[in-house]
Amino acid sequence: MGFEAIVVCFIEGKTRTAVLPHNAGLGQHHTGAELPVNALDKAERRIARQKKIKYFLISYVDFFGVLRSKLVPANAIKDMQKNGAGFAGFATWLDMSPADTDMFAIPDPSSLIQLPWNKEIGWLASDLWMNGKPVQASPRVILKNQISKLSKMNLVMKSGVECEYFLISPDGSQIADTRDTQSKPCYDQSALMRRYDLIKEICDSMIEMGWGPYQNDHEDANGQFEMNWNYSECLQTADRHTFFKFMVKTLSEKHGLRATFMPKPFEHLTGNGCHAHISLWNGSTNKFLDNNDRFGLTKLAYNFLGGIIKNARTLSAFFNPTINSYRRINAPPTKSGASWSPSSISYSGNNRTHMIRIPDPGRFELRLMDGSSNPYLLQSGILAAGIYGLNNKSDPGEPLTCNMYTDYKNYPNLEKLPNDLEEALNELDNSKNLREAYGENVINSYLKLKKQELDTFYKVENFDKKKSVTEWEKSNSLDC
């Protein structure tokens, strides 16, 4: 059964389960377990041939969140299923040397997306293998390992992300819409509709892919937008998050614009967040939901939340992974009057001034992450900290109802988030909890690469929130 046959089932939303035949599976890299694929009837096979996919993007994300791919003709996809697409790991942001053997990206058939704007191409998320074993220090494998730990508790994490982005000029110097100048531009209908053609094409693509998009809006900064789609199991959310960023950038270029998810491209405007909404499930039962609780959460939910509170300073190394990230958190008010970003480690009910907001029963929103966060490390970080909270029955403490942006001085004992990337990396380096959750190799590999990045920055710049965004930050983060 080739990928040509798999295509339609995911496009048509008819996901099934079957065992891959030995000669159509992952070959020498496969563990022997059953894999999710599609059992196709004759009609679906016929539709698959009609889709006429000619090329596949075999893709993976490195530690810095860069999407790497090889373009493979359809007549070679069976070999990709068996052996994977070969890459030199050192050539990307992974902790490898030029002397290392090739690594192979093994595509996950359940991730397949036919590009709505170019139906000749199918996109596939992949897991990295080297020497017949998964590359443990690679983001998608890291997430799958955390998912496996949670599954042993008979739980599944479902999540949704809110990806904010700016539409800017091709050279990155300013927002693209010179008429978008209001001091409070959030939900501005005129500014939204001036970008209707692009927003519509992105939203139509999500509808076609079956993501269930439900709203699009102009956000709090001039030139800033957000588009929301339905939550799902966290691996699928991470894959879709990865593809969403690729899609928004690609379609923006088609319309003569440039999209950026950079945390804070303009110091006077609100930054790009990437909030996550989180819940745990057992089958069809939401294990976070308790309608008798003040906020509608179970004890299990509070423990999971407590694990995130406990490890928040450390998680910043993953959730706010760039130098520019720290212009967004611990930031002064922007042109609109608020940063909409956390500074202190706290939680509340439906109150956006806190790091964690509980907007409805049965879920909570984590507002720490920014647009540069790696989609897979984002989800894995939530899981690792949450599992810690479950295992240790972590108590998040009492919720706060204040305006944390103005009243933070009334809570001097409340922990603050790191003030810069160096501080966040030091927290990660010294974190017993995350080292146990991820393994020494994963943490050391990540720290090695990020500290190299810091050294490169400090050779040419100094980080000062009171000064303008540096050219180094723009060159290294505009396309994050």
Side-chain angles (χ1 to χ4, degrees), residues 222-241:
N222 306 113
Q224 186 184 49
F225 300 86
E226 179 181 304
M227 309 177 75
N228 305 124
W229 67 91
N230 286 340
Y231 69 92
S232 57
E233 292 188 14
C234 61
L235 179 61
Q236 185 176 71
T237 293
D239 287 339
R240 288 178 173 180
H241 182 183

Side-chain angles (χ1 to χ4, degrees), residues 119-132:
K119 296 182 184 298
E120 292 185 349
I121 300 174
W123 179 86
L124 286 154
S126 303
D127 298 321
L128 296 179
W129 292 69
M130 181 182 282
N131 297 320

